[in-house]
Amino acid sequence: MSVPGRGLNQAAALERYVGVMEELRADHLGVLETVYASGARFVDPFNDVRGIEAIQAVFAHGFAQCSGMRFVVQARAVDGDHALLRWRMDCAASPQGVSIEGMSELVLGEDGRVVEHVDYWDPAAQLYERVPVLGWLMRLIRRRLAVPVSSSR
């Protein structure tokens, strides 16, 4: 059931979330409490955690692994209490200047804070293939699973 005016509030909540994430820094993770509910769930290819402390720990670990980590939201959509974000995470401090692109599915609570956050991105193509031996294996597997391209048309 749609609540009149709620979409407008949720759109504003999403913009507040985007602003926090794009300005997020390792020494200021407490700000996540303003956009995540205390019992929120966060899922990505490596983590499935609940609670603001656990979510802060995920981001703290990310900053420890990738000094200068920064998020850039490239597109967004909101429909009721669900939101989708297309983003890029840059790790400027890495030797190769790693960038990861992905999507987030968010569920916003009554107060506009995120109650569920699920990230979708491809660690095989965006991380594993950069590791020398593992990358060779991942590329081989990808080539074998891909549909053969016919050059005669």
Side-chain angles (χ1 to χ4, degrees):
M1 179 169 143
S2 177
V3 178
R6 182 163 176 193
L8 215 179
N9 293 337
Q10 299 302 63
L14 180 61
E15 289 308 311
R16 185 176 69 237
Y17 176 85
V18 168
V20 165
M21 296 310 291
E22 289 188 329
E23 296 298 320
L24 192 62
R25 300 294 176 258
D27 60 350
H28 197 55
L29 295 177
V31 71
L32 292 172
E33 294 177 10
T34 67
V35 293
Y36 282 97
S38 61
R41 180 177 181 216
F42 178 93
V43 180
D44 70 10
F46 304 110
N47 302 282
D48 186 345
V49 300
R50 279 195 188 276
I52 189 65
E53 294 85 10
I55 293 169
Q56 288 170 330
V58 167
F59 284 99
H61 181 73
F63 279 108
Q65 298 300 310
C66 173
S67 164
M69 182 171 67
R70 179 174 155 82
F71 296 94
V72 177
V73 174
Q74 300 167 319
R76 67 207 68 171
V78 64
D79 183 14
D81 62 353
H82 284 78
L84 300 172
L85 298 175
R86 180 167 173 73
W87 49 262
R88 185 183 74 242
M89 188 274 298
D90 295 321
C91 185
S94 73
Q96 300 136 345
V98 173
S99 284
I100 294 173
E101 293 189 354
M103 296 281 299
S104 294
E105 179 182 5
L106 307 175
V107 178
L108 304 171
E110 290 288 329
D111 64 357
R113 292 188 297 165
V114 174
V115 295
E116 186 168 39
H117 176 153
V118 180
D119 276 348
Y120 301 95
W121 57 278
D122 183 1
Q126 298 185 71
L127 286 181
Y128 304 155
E129 286 186 5
R130 296 172 188 250
V131 177
V133 174
L134 186 57
W136 173 84
L137 181 60
M138 295 304 297
R139 289 186 295 277
L140 176 67
I141 292 170
R142 187 180 301 272
R143 280 194 302 272
R144 291 210 174 199
L145 294 177
V147 174
V149 178
S150 174
S151 59
S152 62
R153 273 204 169 185

